[in-house]
Amino acid sequence: MLGTLKLAGLTAGGFLRRYWQKRPLLARGALVECAGIVQPGTLFSLAGRDDLESRLVRRDGRRWQVRHGPFEPRELRRLPRSGWTLLVQGVNHALPAAQKLLDQFAFIPYARLDDLMVSFAPRGGGVGPHFDSYDVFLLQGEGRRRWRISRQRDLALVDGAPLRILRRFRPAREWELRAGDLLYLPPHCAHDGVATTDCITYSIGFRAPGAQELGTRFLEYLQDELRLDGLYEDRGLKPARRPAWLDDDMVRKVRGMLRRIRWSGGDIVRFLGCYLTEPKSHVLFTRPSRPLTEGAFSARAARCGVRLAAPTRMLFRDGTLFINGEAHAPAAPAARRLSRLADRRALPPVARADRETVHLLYQWYRAGYIQLGVCRT
């Protein structure tokens, strides 16, 4: 499950038992072969794309400034030699090598995986002491960065700052990371990373939606699915003595109407699958400009296989498949085959696939959710 990832001699199970959501772990030389997958020039180019989120963080003394991209190349070339950081989110949507890096962490469910953020900072660059509300792995790319961490309980923030900067940061441990070193931090672990040379850092984040967010979105889901018949009635109404009074009879009747709102475990599964696979608002899918017919697509898939497009998120539970916010419940043969696509993000040549599998794959191909594999002669 770990591929070439080296977690300080731990197995995946050992890491999850001893460290996951419990305490930090520094793994030296964990992924040396992945340290150079993104070069500064490549990151600057990605920061100019409008289908990726990018930010430029600058510091002048105690003052912080944040600007959002996309950025023109000449703007980035004019930056000073210190005091700034460029961050680009969702790099795995643009670079196959970045997706392969994320695959190293497939021992953690895809439902928790967010995306890969890559940052570049010259010497002295950083985003200040802060904490995250989710788990994160920080892989050092080329260059070096000094990390200081603290398990402090005081998480008060600087008032009015454009970033979530800790007002009182009290570091307890410190390391300098070199290319290939990996630092795991559980939620709410205060940390501050400062580049000691020009450096690239990869942040593998794992989403952890809050209860308020889940509750709000679930109620929105129920609203879309809700079907309640009938109208409020008050036959036998008597003359009101105080017309502004909200009377007991009306409250009782409305309470009875609202008690008819119900949801099941199946509703929660369907909501969660759609919610967790819903693309972020800026994500774009590239549809084929000249799509094949379904027959031609089926023949190519039988020879070349298919793979998920880089931005596609896909999960499954029992016989239901969730892809980019959509839910599909095909018959068992299609569900079994397509759940393997969700797990592996690719399917080998799909000769003799059942008709429903081919039809769903073709729909997703037309939508830009999947791509045909590379045929080898």
Side-chain angles (χ1 to χ4, degrees):
M1 291 290 288
L2 290 178
T4 58
L5 177 60
K6 304 176 183 68
L7 286 175
L10 295 168
T11 63
F15 166 77
L16 293 173
R17 284 192 303 273
R18 295 176 57 185
Y19 291 93
W20 182 252
Q21 297 214 316
K22 297 181 181 72
R23 58 182 188 269
L25 172 69
L26 173 63
R28 296 286 188 187
L31 281 170
V32 174
E33 67 279 10
C34 294
I37 62 173
V38 179
Q39 297 296 315
T42 302
L43 192 67
F44 288 5
S45 296
L46 295 176
R49 291 175 48 160
D50 56 11
D51 61 337
L52 298 176
E53 291 182 299
S54 56
R55 290 173 291 155
L56 181 62
V57 177
R58 300 183 66 172
R59 181 177 186 176
D60 183 9
R62 294 186 178 182
R63 296 183 60 186
W64 294 87
Q65 181 186 58
V66 179
R67 292 185 51 218
H68 294 268
F71 299 102
E72 293 288 338
R74 61 178 180 273
E75 181 180 6
L76 299 177
R77 288 195 295 266
R78 293 186 191 132
L79 289 168
R81 301 184 68 176
S82 63
W84 57 273
T85 301
L86 177 68
L87 307 102
V88 182
Q89 204 85 32
V91 173
N92 53 299
H93 297 173
L95 300 179
Q99 179 58 51
K100 290 181 180 179
L101 170 58
L102 289 189
D103 291 344
Q104 297 282 343
F105 298 87
F107 61 95
I108 299 169
Y110 290 155
R112 289 280 269 114
L113 180 64
D114 192 357
D115 62 9
L116 177 68
M117 183 179 73
V118 182
S119 66
F120 171 82
R123 181 171 181 167
V127 297
H130 63 284
F131 68 93
D132 298 314
S133 299
Y134 50 82
D135 304 88
V136 64
F137 289 92
L138 299 162
L139 174 65
Q140 186 57 43
E142 295 184 355
R144 300 192 301 275
R145 185 182 288 270
R146 185 184 75 250
W147 287 101
R148 297 182 298 161
I149 69 169
S150 171
R151 295 308 301 270
Q152 65 190 61
R153 296 185 178 182
D154 179 3
L155 300 178
L157 303 176
V158 175
D159 294 332
L163 296 164
R164 295 168 56 84
I165 305 294
L166 286 167
R167 186 183 303 170
R168 291 174 290 272
F169 179 56
R170 296 184 293 273
R173 303 183 71 182
E174 177 178 323
W175 303 282
E176 183 174 72
L177 271 62
R178 297 174 180 269
D181 292 344
L182 183 71
L183 177 62
Y184 163 72
L185 298 175
H188 300 120
C189 180
H191 54 285
D192 182 28
V194 178
T196 54
T197 68
D198 290 2
C199 77
I200 292 278
T201 302
Y202 307 94
S203 299
I204 300 99
F206 292 83
R207 64 194 304 186
Q212 180 68 29
E213 162 75 5
L214 284 171
T216 300
R217 295 294 299 273
F218 183 56
L219 290 176
E220 292 173 357
Y221 166 83
L222 287 180
Q223 177 178 308
D224 292 339
E225 301 292 320
L226 191 62
R227 300 292 182 270
L228 295 179
D229 297 324
L231 296 170
Y232 176 81
E233 296 179 348
D234 52 5
R235 297 176 185 178
L237 185 66
K238 297 179 180 179
R241 293 184 177 181
R242 302 187 65 186
W245 170 253
L246 190 60
D247 67 77
D248 295 345
D249 189 54
M250 185 176 205
V251 170
R252 177 181 56 79
K253 287 179 178 178
V254 171
R255 183 169 60 232
M257 294 171 75
L258 297 182
R259 279 177 176 166
R260 290 160 53 197
I261 299 174
R262 294 284 188 272
W263 65 83
S264 66
D267 289 315
I268 292 175
V269 168
R270 188 178 176 91
F271 154 72
L272 197 57
C274 293
Y275 167 77
L276 291 175
T277 60
E278 184 178 358
K280 296 179 181 179
S281 59
H282 65 277
V283 170
L284 302 175
F285 292 94
T286 304
R287 299 171 182 261
S289 57
R290 299 180 65 182
L292 301 172
T293 65
E294 185 165 347
F297 168 82
S298 177
R300 282 279 301 275
R303 289 190 296 112
C304 310
V306 298
R307 56 187 172 86
L308 296 182
T312 289
R313 298 183 66 91
M314 188 175 182
L315 302 172
F316 69 91
R317 181 179 172 89
D318 299 327
T320 304
L321 307 162
F322 305 97
I323 183 167
N324 295 331
E326 302 172 5
H328 301 269
R336 283 194 298 270
R337 187 185 293 264
L338 293 172
S339 66
R340 291 196 289 272
L341 172 63
D343 270 335
R344 302 169 187 172
R345 295 191 61 85
L347 278 179
V350 287
R352 297 186 300 279
D354 60 278
R355 187 171 182 178
E356 191 172 15
T357 294
V358 172
H359 184 62
L360 277 173
L361 288 175
Y362 184 65
Q363 287 182 2
W364 298 342
Y365 157 75
R366 292 288 301 262
Y369 295 171
I370 68 168
Q371 297 170 349
L372 286 160
V374 177
C375 292
R376 291 182 170 82
T377 56

